[in-house]
């Protein structure tokens, strides 16, 4: 499908990276959702999705990408437009489940309106991690064993739609990423008593959930992740090759080298 691209933007640098690569794109922001975009913006409200889709068609949009962090907003039911009223039962049901259920429904709704949904990795070259050592020293066999253990943990949790990341040190799981996010988990790891870590440094593992639609909510790391990993006393980061984005790549790799950590892409 050809036609204009629309970026449905949340917070963070990813919408900015996409807009830089596609300056012709329509930049859509939402009431109550922080963002880092600038220039010509198209503000919309979640309560009026019908108006959003109508405006996108009028602007010649045929392709849509969802990018950036976006918490589940409170919705003002009396402000719903007719389309949103018709969608409300499906949305409310999906919101009772995990992110995969909600994002899957949102993709379904957008496609029902005649738009093609793309992933950020389809639009920005070199966005995802490749397999192999990407920066820093070669990890030890013990650290790679921790990474394998972390992959097993994330695979076990995938059926219940929990977690894109965890920390393993010396074979012990020190934390699993839940709705509070990566930074929260890494702060908790930093506060873990040394006695529980048994002298092991450990690894942060980031991966997609099995069966996850990578067009939305693809896992990502960036410079801030590196800072938190260092504060948590870990040796490095292992990400799932081809399934995790490296945001602000040059800065992230520089931070890895500066911190003395390693970053590796692996098939998990």
């Amino acid at each position: 499908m050809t036609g204009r691209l629309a970026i449905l933007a949340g917070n963070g640098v990813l919408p900015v990276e996409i807009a830089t690569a596609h300056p012709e794109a329509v930049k859509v922001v939402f009431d109550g959702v922080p963002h880092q975009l600038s220039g010509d913006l198209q503000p919309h409200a979640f309560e009026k999705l019908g108006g959003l889709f109508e405006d996108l068609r009028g602007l010649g949009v045929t392709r849509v990408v969802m990018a950036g962090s976006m918490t589940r907003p409170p919705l003002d039911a009396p402000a719903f437009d007719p389309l949103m009223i018709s969608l409300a039962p499906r949305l409310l049901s999906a919101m009772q489940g995990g992110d995969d259920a909600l994002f899957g429904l949102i993709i379904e709704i957008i496609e029902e309106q005649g738009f093609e949904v793309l992933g950020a990795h389809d639009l920005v070259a070199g966005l995802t991690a490749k397999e192999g050592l990407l920066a820093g020293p070669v990890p030890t066999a013990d650290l790679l064993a921790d990474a394998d253990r972390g992959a097993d943990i994330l695979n076990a949790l995938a059926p219940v739609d929990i977690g894109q990341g965890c920390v393993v040190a010396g074979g012990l799981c020190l934390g699993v990423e839940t709705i509070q996010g990566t930074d929260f988990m890494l702060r908790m790891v930093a506060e873990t008593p040394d006695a529980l870590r048994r002298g092991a440094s450990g690894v942060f593992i980031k991966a997609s959930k099995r069966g996850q639609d990578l067009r939305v909510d693809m896992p990502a790391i960036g410079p801030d992740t590196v800072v938190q990993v260092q504060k948590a006393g870990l040796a490095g980061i292992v990400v799932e090759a081809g399934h995790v984005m490296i945001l602000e790549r040059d800065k992230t790799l520089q931070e890895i080298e500066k911190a003395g950590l390693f970053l590796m892409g692996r098939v998990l």
Side-chain angles (χ1 to χ4, degrees):
M1 181 182 293
T2 60
R4 201 171 181 188
L5 172 71
I7 304 168
L8 307 187
N11 203 7
V13 300
L14 182 56
V16 178
E17 292 195 27
I18 299 173
T20 300
H22 298 270
E24 78 290 349
V26 175
K27 295 177 286 189
V28 177
V29 296
F30 294 94
D31 294 349
V33 177
H35 65 85
Q36 297 181 21
L37 291 174
S38 59
D40 185 15
L41 306 178
Q42 298 287 327
H44 282 275
F46 288 113
E47 289 86 354
K48 301 188 182 300
L49 287 183
L52 166 63
F53 294 135
E54 184 177 342
D55 286 351
L56 292 182
R57 293 188 191 95
L59 291 167
V61 169
T62 61
R63 301 174 299 147
V64 168
V65 60
M66 298 167 59
S69 61
M70 195 178 297
T71 58
R72 303 186 184 194
L75 297 175
D76 181 15
F80 284 2
D81 67 10
L83 177 62
M84 192 63 175
I85 291 172
S86 70
L87 294 174
R90 294 163 65 189
L91 285 168
L92 290 173
S93 176
M95 290 176 73
Q96 304 307 310
D99 287 344
D100 284 357
L102 180 58
F103 286 129
L105 177 59
I106 292 172
I107 288 175
E108 185 178 310
I109 289 168
I110 294 172
E111 290 179 336
E112 287 172 356
Q113 295 297 312
F115 300 97
E116 179 184 9
V117 180
L118 301 175
H121 59 291
D122 297 318
L123 298 165
V124 180
L127 191 58
T128 57
K130 294 183 178 180
E131 187 175 4
L133 184 66
L134 304 176
V138 177
T140 65
D142 286 343
L143 291 171
L144 293 179
D146 282 343
D148 290 338
R149 170 73 170 151
D152 289 343
I153 291 168
L154 294 178
N155 285 334
L157 291 172
V160 290
D161 197 3
I162 294 175
Q164 295 180 327
C166 68
V167 172
V168 176
L172 300 175
C173 182
L174 302 185
V176 173
E177 180 183 329
T178 55
I179 194 170
Q180 293 92 343
T182 299
D183 288 353
F184 180 89
M185 178 195 67
L186 290 172
R187 287 196 299 271
M188 296 301 293
V189 171
E191 296 174 5
T192 301
D194 291 339
L196 294 180
R197 300 177 71 150
R198 300 192 297 194
S201 52
V203 178
F204 171 49
I205 303 97
K206 189 81 169 179
S208 63
K209 286 174 278 189
R210 299 290 81 87
Q212 178 180 352
D213 192 324
L214 295 177
R215 290 176 294 175
V216 292
D217 196 32
M218 177 184 277
I221 64 167
D224 292 342
T225 312
V226 178
V227 172
Q228 296 299 325
V229 166
Q230 183 183 30
K231 288 181 178 179
L234 304 177
I237 304 171
V238 173
V239 297
E240 184 180 9
H243 288 235
V244 175
M245 296 181 288
I246 303 177
L247 305 179
E248 299 180 90
R249 177 178 285 266
D250 290 345
K251 185 176 179 180
T252 298
L253 298 183
Q254 289 170 6
E255 290 291 337
I256 287 284
E257 298 284 0
K258 178 181 175 182
L261 305 176
F262 75 87
L263 174 61
M264 175 173 278
R266 299 187 79 193
V267 177
L268 301 177

